[in-house]
Amino acid sequence: MQERMGNPALVLPAAMQALNALSKVPAETGLSAKLLELVNLRASQINGCSVCIDGHWRIARKHGETDERLFAVAGWRDAPYYSNAERAALALTEAITRLSDRADPVPDDIWDEATRHYDGKSLAALVVAIANINVWNRLNVATRQVAGQWKP
């Protein structure tokens, strides 16, 4: 496959600056890098963003994530490797990423479970992180960015 154009965030430097600034916010609130990379990986799997799937497992490994957790993230509901807080974050990631899949895109049970594990500031940061990876996924998929060219 060949890309349709350069990544729009690279074509428009102000967009890259904004997205990079936004990506730093969740970590500044204390959310762990490992959690954020699991969220990034799961949203990217759902969206079929090969660039982000290829890149975010690499970043997660740099933060000490294990292969078994990375390999099983698509099956997190049935895999024994995740904490209840991580499961809540992954459920929220899936709901926010798949907004059109149900009449109530983010059902109360998913939201309420997230609030049991994350306070207001960290929950806000998690929502921002999920939104940000979805922006990156859409930029990459729409313009057919090629996996392997970005090596974080």
Side-chain angles (χ1 to χ4, degrees), residues 1-7 10 50-52 54-55 58 140 143-152:
M1 180 181 343
Q2 186 173 2
E3 67 184 25
R4 289 179 166 151
M5 65 177 287
N7 187 298
L10 294 174
S50 62
V51 171
C52 289
D54 184 54
R58 295 172 194 280
N140 290 330
T143 59
R144 293 189 181 153
Q145 298 302 300
V146 178
Q149 292 181 349
W150 173 53
K151 296 278 190 187

Side-chain angles (χ1 to χ4, degrees), residues 14-132:
M16 179 63 89
Q17 289 175 324
L19 290 170
N20 281 337
L22 188 61
S23 72
K24 293 176 184 172
V25 172
E28 291 170 357
T29 66
L31 290 178
S32 78
K34 289 167 86 171
L35 173 67
L36 292 170
E37 291 309 321
L38 289 175
V39 163
N40 289 338
L41 184 56
R42 185 64 190 124
S44 300
Q45 289 171 336
I46 292 166
N47 289 324
C49 182
S50 62
V51 171
C52 289
I53 292 168
D54 184 54
H56 285 286
W57 73 261
R58 295 172 194 280
I59 297 170
R61 290 283 307 277
K62 289 177 183 177
H63 290 293
E65 192 55 84
T66 65
D67 286 344
E68 64 189 2
R69 285 169 45 93
L70 291 171
F71 296 156
V73 74
W76 62 268
R77 284 178 181 82
D78 299 317
Y81 311 123
Y82 308 98
S83 70
N84 289 336
E86 289 168 332
R87 290 175 190 283
L90 290 167
L92 187 62
T93 299
E94 289 185 359
I96 292 172
T97 300
R98 294 180 165 144
L99 291 175
S100 66
D101 283 0
R102 51 184 139 198
D104 183 5
V106 182
D108 288 340
D109 63 323
I110 290 174
W111 185 263
D112 292 345
E113 184 63 18
T115 65
R116 280 190 262 291
H117 299 281
Y118 302 97
D119 65 19
K121 193 171 185 177
S122 60
L123 185 56
L126 186 56
V127 172
V128 165
I130 295 165
N132 193 44

